[in-house]
Amino acid sequence: MTYDFDLIVIGAGSGGVRCARIAAGHGAKVAIIEKQHWGGTCVNIGCVPKKLMMFASTFGDLVEDSHGYGWDTQKGHHHWQQLIQAKDKEINRLNEIYVSMLQKAGVTIFRGAASFKDAHTINIAQSVLSEDNAQGLLNITAKHIVIATGSSPSILDVEGKEHAITSDQAFYLKERPQRVSIVGSGYIGIEFAGIFAGLGSQVDLVYRQPLPLRGFDQDMRQALHDAIAARSGITQHTGRSPVKVSKDGNVYQLHLDNGEVIETDCVFFATGRHPNIEGLGLENAQIEITKKKQIIVNDDFVTSASNVYAIGDVIDKINLTPVAIAQGHALADRLFAGKVRKSAYDATPKAVFFYPPLASVGLSEEEAEQKGEVEIYISQFTSMKYVFTERKIKTYIKMIVDKASQNVVGLHMLGDDAPEIMQGFAVAIAAGLTKSDFDQTIGIHPSSAEELVTLRQVTRTSQKS
Ligand code: NDP
């Protein structure tokens, strides 16, 4: 059987692009199909614009912090349109870089919506191909096909849901809403609450748990809750869910399950994401999905069709950009170079870009104590930067050590630069280092990070009761 390509990748997001480029580098004949965003969610409507907007949101407070250090700078007014234009320009630049990287790697690029005709044949609708599509080719075939179509924000099914926006629209708002009601306390809800508050909006953050970030370490959730409470401009409505959204002129009302009604200029649902499988024709290739519509794969990312693979947010694994990239790379290495590329998925570091940010690697205390007795080290302090400032941002550090082996199995930090610091310490957790390895490490002084290698006193021991 001969095919047009060795590999077709559907979706040019982080995972798909990495897979296509590495496969092409191994000598495979590769095509990639993308219908909208070159670089996917991360580059266009996710990590990258979010981080730029997060940076923007921090300057106002830093100006005020500077007064304690002798500066007489004034905070002034933030110009939303200027930020959005600068962000869009940067994203256009990145889009072009992604396309040119693929072309330089020798990958054939198709623009259009892909769907399976069968397990080896992809139909491309409305494809506008560069030179390769000169003959209006609509069906292409490949020996191997990778689905890397990512995910999209989910909207809660409540009355008036059409009035709500998601993160997809939040990046393109014409004006910054003066009042924003955000539903959900996962990554997106927390990060956007920080962004809008930092830029001057009044934020109502509504979530159904007593603490934000379900799934993270309980103490860290409490520390984040307290940090949100200490941050001006955000009101937390805990233990609440929305039941209805209504609109009156330009004003919206978010109705909660306790009868409370929040008046606002923007209702923003940050209530999870769902895999992008609609229109892919998965049934034509007998590709099976879970009840949550995630594509089912084995440890090698093989779907129920043996020549079709899936990676990234479309499968039931950790939904983070670096994980999708690692999966795409490993798959390309395995298929076209016969190499096994390992990643320490158990030690995947996570960061929530609030101010202060929270970052974690390894197990929470609740997860660790399921496995045996653990020693918990906790350190809380106000970092030196805030000695002269009016606001006092607290740093909270937590280390979880397996008592029997003395392996450090979890590290968590809420505080300035936590993601940068925890990225380095993730190596130690992935390598399975012990508390004494940490103790032998010399600190950098003065820094907040040195605290991680100078934790002396066990705060408590804990074990599943
Ligand atoms: P999350 O799954 O992180 O959070 C969803 C939030 O919505 C939770 O607070 C959840 O509550 C709430 N929710 C869900 N369903 C309902 C409901 N029916 N009624 C009321 N509340 C509800 O999703 P996000 O949208 O924040 O982010 C999606 C994913 O994107 C993340 O999981 C992450 O993988 C990725 N991401 C990563 C980032 C990073 O690395 N910094 C940044 C942004 C996104 P409950 O907890 O009770 O279920």
Side-chain angles (χ1 to χ4, degrees):
M1 189 73 193
T2 56
Y3 300 102
D4 301 323
F5 295 95
D6 299 318
L7 173 71
I8 295 173
V9 178
I10 307 174
S14 308
V17 167
R18 175 60 67 96
C19 187
R21 286 177 59 209
I22 299 295
H26 290 319
K29 189 178 178 198
V30 183
I32 193 163
I33 309 165
E34 170 59 49
K35 68 175 174 188
Q36 194 177 12
H37 291 305
W38 293 93
T41 299
C42 177
V43 167
N44 294 272
I45 42 173
C47 333
V48 172
K50 176 278 304 290
K51 188 89 187 265
L52 293 169
M53 290 165 81
M54 192 280 284
F55 284 138
S57 74
T58 60
F59 289 108
D61 288 330
L62 292 176
V63 167
E64 288 184 348
D65 290 345
S66 74
H67 297 164
Y69 283 88
W71 291 93
D72 61 0
T73 39
Q74 294 303 308
K75 192 165 167 177
H77 180 74
H78 180 260
H79 298 277
W80 173 265
Q81 272 303 330
Q82 196 180 323
L83 169 64
I84 298 301
Q85 278 165 18
K87 180 264 297 178
D88 289 345
K89 195 173 160 202
E90 171 61 7
I91 286 168
N92 285 340
R93 189 184 74 86
L94 294 173
N95 290 153
E96 284 167 20
I97 287 176
Y98 266 79
V99 170
S100 96
M101 270 186 330
L102 285 161
Q103 285 169 334
K104 274 189 198 145
V107 176
T108 303
I109 288 172
F110 291 84
R111 293 186 171 83
S115 63
F116 281 89
K117 241 182 125 185
D118 59 51
H120 289 281
T121 312
I122 296 294
N123 179 268
I124 307 170
Q126 300 157 357
S127 72
V128 190
L129 177 62
S130 44
E131 61 266 32
D132 298 288
N133 201 21
Q135 286 126 33
L137 186 68
L138 275 184
N139 287 325
I140 56 172
T141 59
K143 184 171 182 203
H144 303 286
I145 298 178
V146 174
I147 306 168
T149 46
S151 63
S152 295
S154 302
I155 292 257
L156 288 189
D157 192 15
V158 294
E159 190 185 332
K161 62 186 176 196
E162 64 280 6
H163 299 309
I165 66 160
T166 67
S167 52
D168 283 2
Q169 291 85 42
F171 289 114
Y172 295 101
L173 290 174
K174 293 215 159 34
E175 288 172 17
R176 176 178 56 79
Q178 201 47 46
R179 298 168 297 178
V180 193
S181 290
I182 299 179
V183 181
S185 64
Y187 290 80
I188 295 179
I190 299 298
E191 292 181 342
F192 269 98
I195 288 170
F196 280 118
L199 295 176
S201 301
Q202 288 300 315
V203 177
D204 286 287
L205 181 62
V206 177
Y207 53 94
R208 62 183 176 182
Q209 304 294 331
L211 293 172
L213 282 186
R214 185 168 60 85
F216 279 66
D217 182 277
Q218 189 76 3
D219 284 337
M220 301 313 294
R221 295 175 68 194
Q222 183 66 56
L224 178 64
H225 172 277
D226 298 347
I228 297 171
R231 175 104 186 244
S232 66
I234 307 177
T235 305
Q236 296 180 85
H237 304 258
T238 60
R240 298 280 162 251
S241 285
V243 289
K244 181 176 153 185
V245 183
S246 55
K247 187 177 183 221
D248 193 359
N250 287 332
V251 176
Y252 299 85
Q253 294 84 31
L254 181 65
H255 303 252
L256 306 186
D257 54 1
N258 62 340
E260 190 186 343
V261 180
I262 302 172
E263 197 157 278
T264 183
D265 304 310
C266 177
V267 176
F268 180 157
F269 282 170
T271 46
R273 299 177 67 87
H274 58 270
N276 291 330
I277 58 160
E278 216 179 292
L280 282 179
L282 297 181
E283 61 287 355
N284 298 332
Q286 284 78 49
I287 296 164
E288 289 172 11
I289 56 174
T290 66
K291 277 191 187 143
K292 289 184 176 169
K293 303 200 169 163
Q294 296 147 321
I295 296 177
I296 298 170
V297 292
N298 68 12
D299 288 346
D300 289 326
F301 310 108
V302 185
T303 70
S304 45
S306 61
N307 70 304
V308 180
Y309 315 83
I311 56 171
D313 282 11
V314 83
I315 61 174
D316 179 17
K317 304 262 190 251
I318 304 169
N319 289 173
L320 294 174
T321 294
V323 173
I325 291 171
Q327 293 169 343
H329 198 140
L331 183 58
D333 274 2
R334 187 173 72 76
L335 293 179
F336 300 106
K339 285 199 279 189
V340 176
R341 186 184 166 85
K342 286 193 177 162
S343 289
Y345 293 114
D346 287 347
T348 299
K350 299 170 191 159
V352 183
F353 292 95
F354 187 69
Y355 194 98
L358 187 155
S360 286
V361 57
L363 303 178
S364 66
E365 180 176 344
E366 295 72 37
E367 289 166 337
E369 66 184 8
Q370 300 288 324
K371 298 176 182 239
E373 199 171 358
V374 287
E375 292 174 340
I376 308 296
Y377 295 79
I378 291 174
S379 171
Q380 298 178 68
F381 54 94
T382 301
S383 79
M384 199 174 162
K385 178 177 166 188
Y386 301 102
V387 167
F388 297 150
T389 63
E390 229 165 82
R391 64 174 182 158
K392 304 287 177 200
I393 301 279
K394 292 227 171 67
T395 295
Y396 192 105
I397 283 172
K398 179 167 177 180
M399 177 186 279
I400 299 156
V401 178
D402 174 65
K403 193 173 178 191
S405 65
Q406 285 297 296
N407 282 340
V408 179
V409 293
L411 262 187
H412 308 268
M413 177 174 181
L414 176 82
D416 280 358
D417 304 319
E420 306 291 341
I421 294 168
M422 296 307 281
Q423 178 64 83
F425 278 97
V427 180
I429 302 292
L433 298 192
T434 62
K435 178 70 170 68
S436 77
D437 293 319
F438 278 64
D439 295 342
Q440 285 169 33
T441 305
I442 305 293
I444 291 178
H445 187 74
S447 71
S448 295
E450 69 179 318
E451 200 69 19
L452 286 158
V453 293
T454 54
L455 291 165
R456 297 271 167 265
Q457 214 54 46
V458 175
T459 308
R460 62 171 180 268
T461 56
S462 85
Q463 190 171 27
K464 191 184 168 211
S465 49

